[in-house]
Amino acid sequence: MRADARRNYERLLTEARTAFAEHGTDASLEDVARRAGVGIGTLYRHFPNRHALLSAVFEDAVSDLLARARELRRAPEPCTALVTWLREMVQHASEYRGLSRALMSVSRDDTSALSRCSDPIREAGGELLGRAQEAGTVRTDVAIGDLLQLTHAIALAAEASPGDAELADRLLMLTLRGLKADL
């Protein structure tokens, strides 16, 4: 990428992060381009659609979640590791209003640019889930795709109730109680 194109790309990412934090993932792409000091055509040359921009914005957070999953794979308690990671997933999905809805919408769409984020997350979460299932602490009929959809739904519910800071954790704990294997 040429130096000027790289600068435009970086400015677009910076402004998109700000716009998504302030207005949610439905923020105006025209506003993002204007704030970055470029035209909308430049934005679309770098990011052909909203999902491509969202994917680029969230790649750092996804990298952090993947590193955390690798770290938790070595934890002595597989179920605790899975619960910790799911909590962090809910926190991540709650960072930007609308992110949960966007992630839920691409859960089965491998053609979306957002699948670049969701596929590695699904794999990392699947490994944590598999460890907990092998340890006998999580039911074997639980699938990682279902767990991720539940975490996004929890984040979406918490987003709709900003006055209840404990809602996401309460909903996550209710969900997790249903995952436990019958001992």
Side-chain angles (χ1 to χ4, degrees):
M1 200 180 289
R2 291 185 345 234
D4 60 332
R6 185 74 188 153
R7 280 191 304 275
N8 288 343
Y9 179 89
E10 292 301 327
R11 281 198 315 260
L12 285 163
L13 281 179
T14 298
E15 294 305 330
R17 282 185 189 101
T18 302
F20 293 158
E22 290 174 3
H23 306 291
T25 59
D26 289 333
S28 163
L29 296 185
E30 289 82 6
D31 186 49
V32 169
R34 183 187 53 73
R35 291 166 83 165
V38 300
I40 191 67
T42 299
L43 183 144
Y44 282 118
R45 270 192 300 284
H46 288 287
F47 308 101
N49 56 47
R50 182 176 300 274
H51 281 178
L53 180 57
L54 285 171
S55 179
V57 165
F58 302 126
E59 281 179 7
D60 288 341
V62 168
S63 293
D64 292 345
L65 287 167
L66 295 176
R68 185 68 169 131
R70 282 190 299 276
E71 178 184 310
L72 289 168
R73 275 190 299 235
R74 295 184 299 274
E77 296 291 328
C79 189
T80 301
L82 176 64
V83 170
T84 299
W85 190 76
L86 290 172
R87 270 195 176 108
E88 291 172 15
M89 280 293 301
V90 169
Q91 284 178 311
H92 162 67
S94 300
E95 283 183 35
Y96 297 97
R97 195 174 63 252
L99 176 58
S100 296
R101 187 177 60 252
L103 291 170
M104 288 176 83
S105 74
V106 301
S107 68
R108 306 250 190 264
D109 180 4
D110 292 338
T111 64
S112 169
L114 266 179
S115 68
R116 270 194 352 232
C117 292
S118 62
D119 290 347
I121 290 292
R122 182 180 304 274
E123 184 178 319
E127 291 176 15
L128 292 171
L129 173 61
R131 282 189 67 227
Q133 288 170 324
E134 288 170 14
T137 55
V138 174
R139 295 175 13 193
T140 58
D141 64 337
V142 175
I144 190 60
D146 295 339
L147 271 182
L148 292 175
Q149 286 290 74
L150 284 168
T151 60
H152 297 319
I154 289 166
L156 195 56
E159 179 182 304
S161 301
D164 187 351
E166 303 300 318
L167 179 62
D169 202 55
R170 282 196 321 272
L171 292 175
L172 183 60
M173 294 316 297
L174 283 170
T175 300
L176 295 175
R177 286 187 190 108
L179 300 178
K180 285 193 173 191
D182 293 329
L183 302 175

